[in-house]
Amino acid sequence: MKIITDISEMQMRCVEARRRGLQISFVPTMGYLHEGHLSLLREGRRRADILVLSIFVNPAQFGVGEDYESYPRDLTRDAQMARSMGVDFLFAPEAAAMYPKGYSTYVDVEGLTERLCGESRPGHFRGVTTVVAKLFNIVQPHFAFFGQKDFQQLAVIRRMSADLNLPIEIVGMPIVRENDGLAMSSRNVYLSVEERRQALALSQALASARRMAREGENDCARILAVLRAAIEQHSAARIDYLKICHQATLQDQDRVDGDSVLLLAVFIGKTRLLDNGFLLGDR
Ligand code: AMP
């Protein structure tokens, strides 16, 4: 595995691989790798000849007062894990190289980005789509892998790729969870022992919503009211949003159907956690 920090070198290596007729899988991350990231790497490794992992804590997607500085970082540990997953290139550019003085170009996806996480974190998706577009231009992958853990992000990136005619297959991968149901996240390390216990409020809410939907409850407002009350039982929990949306448009739904996804963002103490899942079917 080669660790590359230089943008031109990364681009040159990928152009060269393409010229040799090799297929490239790409997994963009902010590092502090866990099983969720590894599941994307495993699928990437399976699908193509060259596997590229990027680790970049992207300042453009953090708002003022958010955790950019304190976001967990451990490149040595990440590099070991990446090597064991068969990564060919670990790309870890510096923020100053990605956004040099005078940087002024941004990619903005309208519509899908205005609600849910976009409402609580203004500018967040503009930062995400900008950095992903830049990384796509550097790596020029055939396949790019994203987790459904960030359901809205995946929808926004699919939209961007389609709208900009990017010749890249966007592959969405299922949420990887801890044994007790908590969705894996680099931010879980922020949780105290007690908060870690209360963080189960999210996956438990998803499980109850699924149970209600399966048992025939199809009124979204009624399901959401039950979940809200259950989450609010947890002293450390503060709901940011809790919604049942259509999986493609992300618009609120009144009635549960096969396209319904429960999406929730909940602060546990100071840590904002996400979870989501389809209410019916086995997706
Ligand atoms: P991050 O490093 O948090 O920006 O995540 C990088 C990629 O890993 C994104 O596509 C995430 O959706 C994905 N990811 C993060 N956590 C999980 C998880 N628990 N299961 C599956 N994918 C995940």
Side-chain angles (χ1 to χ4, degrees):
M1 183 180 81
K2 189 155 174 38
I3 299 178
I4 297 180
T5 53
D6 186 75
I7 295 174
S8 318
E9 183 185 354
M10 184 73 253
Q11 198 164 39
M12 194 199 70
R13 297 262 185 181
C14 291
V15 167
E16 198 182 299
R18 270 192 172 253
R19 204 177 290 135
R20 286 165 50 208
L22 301 177
Q23 298 245 307
I24 302 173
S25 279
F26 177 44
V27 178
T29 76
M30 298 203 298
Y32 213 71
L33 302 180
H34 52 68
E35 256 317 306
H37 299 118
L38 302 192
S39 71
L40 310 187
L41 290 172
R42 214 167 278 125
E43 184 61 13
R45 184 66 284 171
R46 204 180 65 73
R47 289 224 194 184
D49 309 299
I50 301 284
L51 177 57
V52 181
L53 163 69
S54 67
I55 294 184
F56 180 60
V57 184
N58 172 33
Q61 71 189 68
F62 287 80
V64 179
E66 290 187 351
D67 56 345
Y68 174 68
E69 274 84 21
S70 58
Y71 195 85
R73 293 162 169 90
D74 189 342
L75 192 58
T76 311
R77 173 177 161 278
D78 285 350
Q80 273 169 11
M81 292 169 86
R83 199 169 287 119
S84 75
M85 296 304 295
V87 168
D88 296 295
F89 297 110
L90 193 175
F91 179 48
E94 294 290 336
M98 289 291 274
Y99 302 105
K101 200 164 175 295
Y103 188 88
S104 28
T105 305
Y106 295 88
V107 178
D108 217 337
V109 173
E110 296 176 354
L112 284 178
T113 58
E114 279 140 34
R115 24 198 351 270
L116 303 165
C117 288
E119 207 169 315
S120 339
R121 304 183 69 188
H124 168 67
F125 285 115
R126 178 172 118 127
V128 169
T129 43
T130 298
V131 82
V132 170
K134 284 168 67 67
L135 291 167
F136 281 178
N137 281 325
I138 296 164
V139 175
Q140 300 179 32
H142 297 78
F143 307 99
F145 300 83
F146 294 87
Q148 278 160 16
K149 153 88 193 325
D150 300 278
F151 193 90
Q152 186 178 16
Q153 169 175 282
L154 175 58
V156 168
I157 285 166
R158 284 194 198 285
R159 183 80 259 160
M160 172 183 82
S161 290
D163 289 353
L164 297 181
N165 309 102
L166 302 182
I168 299 169
E169 185 181 334
I170 306 297
V171 183
M173 296 291 293
I175 300 179
V176 177
R177 297 176 179 279
E178 302 286 356
N179 287 334
D180 61 4
L182 178 68
M184 289 196 183
S185 164
S186 306
R187 289 191 168 98
N188 290 350
V189 296
Y190 295 148
L191 301 169
S192 69
V193 172
E194 176 53 23
E195 287 168 348
R196 171 66 183 76
R197 205 180 58 73
Q198 297 200 27
L200 290 181
L202 286 90
S203 54
Q204 284 167 353
L206 177 57
S208 346
R210 283 185 168 142
R211 200 176 320 113
M212 281 188 270
R214 255 199 332 266
E215 286 167 2
E217 176 61 84
N218 71 353
D219 183 331
C220 294
R222 275 214 292 267
I223 295 176
L224 293 173
V226 171
L227 302 187
R228 183 168 290 277
I231 294 170
E232 284 170 351
Q233 295 285 308
H234 297 79
S235 57
R238 184 169 60 78
I239 297 172
D240 179 11
Y241 63 74
L242 172 66
K243 285 175 182 289
I244 296 174
C245 301
H246 186 280
Q247 52 99 9
T249 62
L250 301 185
Q251 293 299 318
D252 288 3
Q253 289 188 309
D254 297 327
R255 298 273 157 205
V256 174
D257 61 27
D259 286 314
S260 300
V261 185
L262 178 79
L263 291 144
L264 63 166
V266 178
F267 282 95
I268 301 292
K270 289 196 166 67
T271 307
R272 185 171 171 279
L273 300 178
L274 301 181
D275 207 339
N276 69 77
F278 282 88
L279 294 188
L280 293 173
D282 51 12
R283 281 186 286 186

